[in-house]
Amino acid sequence: MSLRSPDLLRHFWPNAGPHPQTAGRTASGSSYSLLPVWRRQRSWDAVDWSSVQHAYGQAVEVPDLLGRLRSRDREARRSAYQGLFDLLVHQGSRYEASAVATPFLVEIVADPKAPDRFAACQVLAAIAVGDESSWLIDRPDVAKARREVERQAHLTRAQLEQKQADWAAAGSTDHERRARARRNEFSDVESDRDAARWQIAAYDAARAGVPAYLAALASPETPVRLHAAHLLAWFPEERESIAPALAHLIGAEPQPMVTAAASVAAGLCGGADDPELVNALSARRGSDNRGERWSVVLGLARLVSRPDRPLIEELYACLFGAVGPVPYWPMLNGDMATFAALTIRDLDPAVAPDRVQTLVDRLNAPADDTDRYLLLRAALDTAFLTGPIADGTAFTDLDADQRTAVAGLQHSGILNDGAMVSMLLDAYNLPRDEAAMTRWCDSDSDHESGCAPGSQA
């Protein structure tokens, strides 16, 4: 991740008004105060940083980086935030130091005199969820994961190894069972348990800062409001307090880019058909600003249990129209089209029967900066709702949506895009390279030549 500066070009936000750093109005129109709970109570010097680990070992660099976050030198602050991100969130993984450092970052968000509070929000969002795209794809149940971490804490190594073996044996196909067994060969059950523990600890440490993030929604600094809204998206367990605050912000916010971030956050964090959020979003649906309007559509499509056809058509328009990174849009580094694809993936097939064809059409659209891997993932998830196909499945055994998805990925040329695509096809028990896919699709349904690869020796 490269931390996004508020100095990005504003070509997608024609109605954004003054520069975000200098815009002074708040959504509420009032001054804001911070909750006493976030006043400084201890110094990071009191932490034995050599006893906790980050991505590369002992976290001895962390206190110096934390201290530089209040430097008068803007470049020193920027490099310190980038350094913290690199150490505390490495390729989506979080560590013991991630959780330990989080309260000090929350203090930055909570201090109206601290510089670059938006950057603290960015790092806190990464600490909370790791890789944003994986979070959106997997839709983890944090409460369930938390209970599992607590349960595993009391298991012996032998019990953890038995659990791991049971997981491998539970694969739905021979191919998946072999893949899980290979994964087990290169993993350590106790290290895996620690990793799961630190991910939950980091998430919960960031979640504890929700009162500060809510207060930051009233900051006079536009980037702070924007990134505080984005950060709140990841804490649905706190929706009782977050949803009303986001609804108020959406209704009163003067800056389109902030409304956009809050709208998508509402869709991720709000409860199904939440009337306050639905009403607030619906009131902004006709915005002349394209980024704001499409973000409202993305939020509504996730909130409303049965979106109507006009809303779905607007969602499709976003999928095809949001080409290239959207300035100021914090989700997926500005990749609004991919976020739209993942939103379409989650629609009820009954209200969007054409969603597979739509995603395939987008995959085959002219190349742009949209993440083709995630587009393919969305299309395959949508077509193969029950997961990997059974061993011995012929191409002609697939249903219409599945054949559409396979034919579309063949036509797109994505089969030549490397190992990540091959691994994704593997996960669905599909042929993993162009030659094998062509043979499978062109063969008849006999189980000598026309079967899925998992049935091969």
Side-chain angles (χ1 to χ4, degrees):
M1 169 184 164
S2 177
L3 295 180
R4 296 176 71 87
S5 162
D7 295 323
L8 293 168
L9 296 174
R10 292 189 293 125
H11 67 272
F12 201 79
W13 304 97
N15 300 327
H19 189 284
Q21 191 68 46
T22 58
R25 287 186 294 167
T26 69
S28 64
S30 60
S31 60
Y32 77 108
S33 61
L34 297 159
L35 300 179
V37 68
W38 293 115
R39 295 181 189 220
R40 181 177 296 277
Q41 296 179 358
R42 62 190 178 99
S43 167
W44 52 75
D45 293 332
V47 178
D48 180 7
W49 293 99
S50 65
S51 69
V52 297
Q53 301 287 307
H54 57 43
Y56 302 102
Q58 295 178 334
V60 292
E61 310 95 329
V62 170
D64 176 64
L65 293 172
L66 290 171
R68 285 161 52 193
L69 300 183
R70 294 177 181 269
S71 169
R72 293 184 179 182
D73 184 335
R74 181 178 181 183
E75 177 57 28
R77 298 194 305 269
R78 188 206 64 77
S79 65
Y81 275 117
Q82 190 67 59
L84 287 169
F85 177 86
D86 293 340
L87 296 177
L88 303 179
V89 189
H90 179 66
Q91 296 181 348
S93 297
R94 283 89 81 206
Y95 307 88
E96 184 177 12
S98 310
V100 176
T102 291
F104 302 111
L105 291 166
V106 173
E107 288 178 352
I108 296 288
V109 178
D111 182 358
K113 296 180 181 179
D116 299 339
R117 293 158 64 213
F118 73 92
C121 290
Q122 288 180 292
V123 176
L124 284 164
I127 288 173
V129 302
D131 179 59
E132 214 172 70
S133 61
S134 296
W135 189 277
L136 290 169
I137 289 168
D138 297 334
R139 294 164 291 182
D141 182 335
V142 178
K144 182 180 178 181
R146 191 181 293 116
R147 291 191 298 270
E148 181 63 15
V149 164
E150 293 170 354
R151 190 183 71 81
Q152 288 194 27
H154 305 291
L155 299 182
T156 65
R157 183 176 184 88
Q159 289 171 321
L160 290 170
E161 289 175 343
Q162 183 59 56
K163 181 176 180 292
Q164 186 186 62
D166 292 343
W167 170 76
S172 61
T173 67
D174 286 342
H175 183 76
E176 185 178 9
R177 288 187 286 273
R178 289 195 297 269
R180 290 185 177 191
R182 285 195 300 271
R183 189 267 181 201
N184 289 351
E185 291 175 8
F186 296 96
S187 67
D188 177 80
V189 291
E190 291 179 327
S191 295
D192 287 349
R193 175 173 61 184
D194 288 345
R197 175 188 174 193
W198 296 131
Q199 288 191 32
I200 289 297
Y203 179 86
D204 283 342
R207 178 189 172 195
V210 164
Y213 317 149
L214 289 170
L217 293 179
S219 167
E221 300 174 59
T222 299
V224 175
R225 299 198 303 280
L226 187 155
H227 287 287
H230 171 238
L231 178 51
L232 288 166
W234 308 113
F235 305 108
E237 292 170 298
E238 303 292 334
R239 65 168 54 102
E240 185 175 341
S241 60
I242 294 174
L246 289 177
H248 174 75
L249 183 67
I250 292 165
E253 172 60 47
Q255 295 287 357
M257 73 280 285
V258 179
T259 305
S263 298
V264 177
L268 290 169
C269 183
D273 297 308
D274 181 305
E276 189 175 13
L277 286 174
V278 170
N279 289 339
L281 289 168
S282 298
R284 303 295 288 255
R285 189 169 165 181
S287 171
D288 291 334
N289 184 286
R290 197 167 46 158
E292 179 181 16
R293 184 174 69 253
W294 281 342
S295 296
V296 166
V297 168
L298 291 169
L300 280 172
R302 288 180 174 271
L303 273 178
V304 178
S305 54
R306 292 189 65 84
D308 58 27
R309 189 65 196 184
L311 180 62
I312 292 170
E313 292 293 345
E314 288 185 83
L315 181 58
Y316 291 171
C318 175
L319 175 69
F320 285 91
V323 177
V326 177
Y328 303 123
W329 205 71
M331 301 287 178
L332 298 178
N333 289 323
D335 190 350
M336 187 180 284
T338 295
F339 193 94
L342 295 173
T343 302
I344 291 166
R345 178 198 67 165
D346 294 338
L347 292 175
D348 185 337
V351 301
D354 55 344
R355 59 196 189 131
V356 173
Q357 184 64 64
T358 301
L359 291 169
V360 166
D361 289 345
R362 183 62 177 85
L363 183 64
N364 282 278
D368 56 39
D369 292 331
T370 303
D371 191 322
R372 275 165 55 88
Y373 171 83
L374 289 180
L375 284 175
L376 175 62
R377 176 66 188 264
L380 292 178
D381 284 356
T382 305
F384 295 89
L385 292 172
T386 58
I389 60 175
D391 295 336
T393 300
F395 177 72
T396 51
D397 294 332
L398 302 181
D399 66 29
D401 278 343
Q402 292 167 343
R403 291 195 299 272
T404 295
V406 170
L409 71 91
Q410 278 190 292
H411 186 263
S412 71
I414 199 170
L415 289 169
N416 299 315
D417 280 11
M420 289 291 289
V421 170
S422 296
M423 292 171 63
L424 177 56
L425 295 171
D426 227 15
Y428 280 98
N429 206 20
L430 294 168
R432 57 181 295 160
D433 61 65
E434 188 171 14
M437 183 70 78
T438 299
R439 288 195 302 271
W440 183 56
C441 293
D442 289 347
S443 65
D444 60 24
S445 60
D446 73 83
H447 290 261
E448 288 291 322
S449 58
C451 53
S455 62
Q456 307 289 337

